Structure formats: C-alpha cells, structure tokens
Amino acid sequence: EEEAGDLSAEEEEDDDEDELFGKDDDDEADKDKEAKKKKKEERDRMREHLSTIVSLVTERAERVGSLTTAIAALPEPEAGGLTTTDSDPSLRTNATIMASKMCRSSLWSLSEYSQYLSVLTEERDVQDVMEYLRLIAEGNDAIKDKTIGGDTEKTDKRRNRRSKRFDRDYYRTCVAEGLRSVAYKFVLSPIRCGVKLEEMQGHPDGHFDYVGRTIAGLEEDPERGGPRQWMAPVISDCDPFQFASKLVDSGDLVLLSTTQSSTTTKDEKDHPEFRDPLKGCRYVAAMELAYEPRIRKTLRQLFRKKAVLTTKPTRKGLENVDFFHEVYGLHLIRDKPLMDHFPCEEREERYHGLNAEERRELDESLASREAESCLQ
C-alpha cells in the first residue's frame, strides 16, 4: 500500500509538471503545425501572384492579337503604288505605325514567358515579370496616345497615377517618337539577351546553343536566321553619326529637340542631341534591358555569389570594441563572401529535386552555418 501511494504521488507530480511546463512532444507538434501553416500561406500567396501574372499576360496577348488582326485586315497595296513601309508616315495606317513602333517580337513572347513563369519559385522573380510588363505597357500607351490620340480622361488618369515616376517621362517620350524601333536596329533585343545570359551563366563552361535554341512563339527573321539572330546587329557600311543621319533624313529617327519647333536655329544645332542623335535610342534599350526578368534574375544571382563584405573600424571603434562588445568580430572583416552571412538565400536555389529528408539535412547544415556566422 505504501508503494502504491508513492507511485500515485509521483504520477500526480508528473501531471503537475506537465500542466506547468507542457510536454515536449506537444511543443514539437505545435511547431510542425506552425511550419506547415506558414508554408501553406506562402504557397497560396505565390499562387495568387502567378494567377495575377497569367491574367496580365493573357490581357496583353489579347491586345496584341487584336492589333495583329487589324494589320492583317489592311488592303494590299496596288502594283507599282506606295507600300505601307514607305518613309512618309502620313501614308501609313495607324495600326502599321503602332506595330512598327511597339517592336513586339523584340520584347515579348507569350509562350516563352509562360514557360519561364512556370518554373519560378521566388516572389521577386515574379515581380520582375510584372514590372517588365508595366514598363512595356507604359511605352505602348505612349505610342497609342501619340499616334491616334485617345480618351482624354483616361490619358489624364494615367498621367496622374504615374506622376511620381519622373524617371520614365523621358522613356515614354522616346518610345512615343519611335526610337524603340531604331534602337533594335543595332542592339540585341531584351528577350534574346535575357535567354542568352541566363543559359550561358547556367552552363559550367559558359556555352550557348546558337543553332538549336529558339524563342517559343516567335518566327525567325529570314535575314538574320540561325546563329546571327543571337548576336547584336552590326552596321558595317557607315559610322554611328552617318547611320543616324540617314535615319533622320528618311524620317525614321526623330530628334526630340526639333519636335518643339518647326525650324532649326544655330543654337539648336549646338544642342547635345545633334552631336549624339542616338542618345534617346540607347536610353530606351538600356531601360528595357534593365527591366528584362531573366537579366535581373541572373545579375541578382551573380551578386549573391560574387559580392564580398569588408569592414574597417574607426578610431573610436578601435578604442571601444573589445572581446565583450556586441559587435566584436564585425569590425575587422576583409573580403568575406556575402553568401556566408545569408545562407538562407542559397536554400531556395538548392531545394530543387530534393526529397523531404534531403531538404531537412540541407536546412540543418545551413542553420549551423548561420549560427556560426558573426552576423548573429
């Protein structure tokens, strides 16, 4: 009876301890539930972003399709008459002018970017696609307003909505004047530049398949088919200034400094644009290359892998930072790889193709690296 009493007393003490401190198994189960809940929320959020991108892509594709239909419905030119590609813009239809200025084949392919979106895992990469679409849409809207006008109220609303983006005012003006189509006469298109950069960086030897690689949904240019389509066009018969002069004479290149006045004075000839007439074209190409999703993703990965961190203490830091200071170890760092401080960035890239056990082992190894980092 005494032993039974002792056992019951011990059980009561265990129950009291469980009530006070809880059970370890319950804590682990709660942590697992919280982790699963966070993963589910992250997955749902990514699905919402992807659905938004798909709807936006579909909308742009419908607009391009309607424009293509309008171009196809144009009457054929009479034999010996003027064609729609003559240098006089007054003889062209609005649809042809907009199509030539928008340069859809240089910027966008629905099939290619749909395949790209299907393999993305990071929210930032999806956001890059959305920003790229917004930039193209702003340029195309500027072309539409310049060519055929538009609803004044809608135009004013767009202008008010993006009134803070002063950095794009010059871009919209250049695109509206047709400088985008001139730029890709001597610059590799953003979509091809992005594909080429991504695959060259992904290959161990920096190899790229110039012959076999194609852009889904785009037809090859018969004049620049095969490997040449993956290389920037070369203007070999004249220098840049002569090339620009020919385009100005034909009406394909518009100097923005002359759009405000019908006459050219001596002071206007001293304008920087007359000395560098292709400046606006280069600016348009630079903006669109900088926003291309694959280029941004590849450069971000290169920064993560190559960036190093160096710190140098001030005179006060040398005097005050000792073994017991909270930033000890951070004041004397030299060329330390940034990836050592942020191994969580590496986790997403290395998760592909791993099962649950392998992912757990990877998490443990990265957690130990993170614990040993001096930025804790």
Side-chain angles (χ1 to χ4, degrees):
E1 292 177 357
E2 291 178 358
E3 292 178 356
D6 294 338
L7 290 173
S8 62
E10 291 178 358
E11 291 177 355
E12 290 178 357
E13 291 178 358
D14 292 339
D15 293 339
D16 294 339
E17 291 180 356
D18 291 340
E19 291 177 359
L20 288 174
F21 303 104
K23 296 182 179 180
D24 295 337
D25 295 339
D26 294 340
D27 293 340
E28 292 179 359
D30 292 339
K31 290 180 180 178
D32 292 339
K33 289 181 181 179
E34 291 178 1
K36 290 180 180 178
K37 184 178 179 181
K38 289 181 180 179
K39 289 181 180 179
K40 185 176 182 299
E41 292 176 354
E42 183 68 19
R43 187 164 52 249
D44 293 340
R45 191 155 56 89
M46 288 298 296
R47 286 175 178 171
E48 290 179 1
H49 280 288
L50 287 174
S51 62
T52 304
I53 288 292
V54 171
S55 61
L56 188 59
V57 168
T58 304
E59 179 186 354
R60 299 302 178 196
E62 290 176 354
R63 292 179 61 180
V64 172
S66 62
L67 183 59
T68 304
T69 304
I71 295 174
L74 294 174
E76 293 291 335
E78 297 180 0
L82 293 172
T83 64
T84 56
T85 57
D86 286 331
S87 59
D88 188 359
S90 64
L91 300 177
R92 305 181 186 181
T93 62
N94 291 332
T96 305
I97 295 173
M98 288 191 297
S100 63
K101 288 183 177 181
M102 288 181 180
C103 303
R104 175 183 175 274
S105 61
S106 299
L107 301 174
W108 183 256
S109 170
L110 178 60
S111 302
E112 183 69 29
Y113 281 103
S114 297
Q115 295 175 9
Y116 173 71
L117 284 168
S118 64
V119 298
L120 294 181
T121 58
E122 292 191 26
E123 182 180 351
R124 280 175 292 186
D125 298 334
V126 179
Q127 189 68 25
D128 288 342
V129 180
M130 295 183 66
E131 290 296 330
Y132 183 59
L133 282 172
R134 291 193 185 102
L135 179 72
I136 296 175
E138 286 199 17
N140 291 346
D141 289 340
I143 292 173
K144 179 181 177 182
D145 295 338
K146 177 71 175 181
T147 306
I148 60 175
D151 191 343
T152 306
E153 294 182 0
K154 292 183 178 180
T155 304
D156 293 339
K157 287 181 179 179
R158 284 201 304 269
R159 199 169 288 144
N160 293 333
R161 186 171 64 247
R162 63 180 181 231
S163 59
K164 295 182 180 180
R165 295 305 305 265
F166 294 113
D167 56 330
R168 292 187 182 176
D169 288 343
Y170 185 57
Y171 167 78
R172 288 190 291 269
T173 302
C174 292
V175 173
E177 296 294 342
L179 301 190
R180 177 191 284 170
S181 59
V182 177
Y184 296 119
K185 293 180 183 293
F186 58 91
V187 177
L188 185 63
S189 65
I191 184 172
R192 294 189 182 277
C193 187
V195 171
K196 185 177 178 181
L197 180 62
E198 182 184 46
E199 297 191 3
M200 290 181 68
Q201 289 296 325
H203 197 277
D205 301 328
H207 174 74
F208 180 74
D209 187 3
Y210 286 89
V211 178
R213 183 64 166 94
T214 59
I215 300 294
L218 290 184
E219 297 181 358
E220 290 188 4
D221 187 353
E223 298 181 359
R224 302 187 69 252
R228 294 179 59 194
Q229 64 184 333
W230 295 103
M231 301 169 64
V234 178
I235 310 299
S236 58
D237 57 344
C238 57
D239 59 34
F241 191 81
Q242 292 174 346
F243 172 70
S245 298
K246 291 180 180 179
L247 293 175
V248 171
D249 293 339
S250 65
D252 292 331
L253 177 60
V254 177
L255 300 180
L256 303 183
S257 59
T258 63
T259 57
Q260 303 296 329
S261 176
S262 59
T263 60
T264 303
T265 64
K266 183 178 179 180
D267 294 336
E268 288 175 343
K269 289 184 179 181
D270 294 334
H271 194 276
E273 192 174 16
F274 281 91
R275 296 193 297 270
D276 186 9
L278 297 177
K279 177 182 177 181
C281 302
R282 293 197 305 272
Y283 182 84
V284 171
M287 281 284 289
E288 292 172 349
L289 285 169
Y291 275 85
E292 207 284 327
R294 283 188 173 94
I295 295 177
R296 294 177 71 88
K297 178 183 177 181
T298 304
L299 294 180
R300 193 158 46 233
Q301 292 174 347
L302 285 173
F303 180 81
R304 293 175 185 172
K305 294 178 182 178
K306 304 295 184 181
V308 294
L309 181 65
T310 300
T311 61
K312 184 178 180 180
T314 61
R315 182 179 300 177
K316 184 178 179 181
L318 288 173
E319 295 175 355
N320 296 340
V321 177
D322 55 11
F323 286 101
F324 304 101
H325 199 278
E326 60 182 355
V327 298
Y328 180 77
L330 298 178
H331 65 307
L332 291 172
I333 299 176
R334 182 177 178 83
D335 295 338
K336 185 172 184 180
L338 204 62
M339 288 293 292
D340 291 348
H341 294 293
F342 304 103
C344 57
E345 301 286 351
E346 186 181 355
R347 182 181 292 111
E348 297 177 356
E349 298 179 4
R350 298 175 61 179
Y351 260 175
H352 297 291
L354 301 181
N355 55 34
E357 184 65 26
E358 292 172 337
R359 290 190 176 190
R360 191 178 300 109
E361 294 177 358
L362 177 61
D363 290 338
E364 291 176 357
S365 64
L366 294 179
S368 63
R369 283 176 51 190
E370 195 170 351
E372 294 172 359
S373 173
C374 60
L375 281 183
Q376 300 301 315

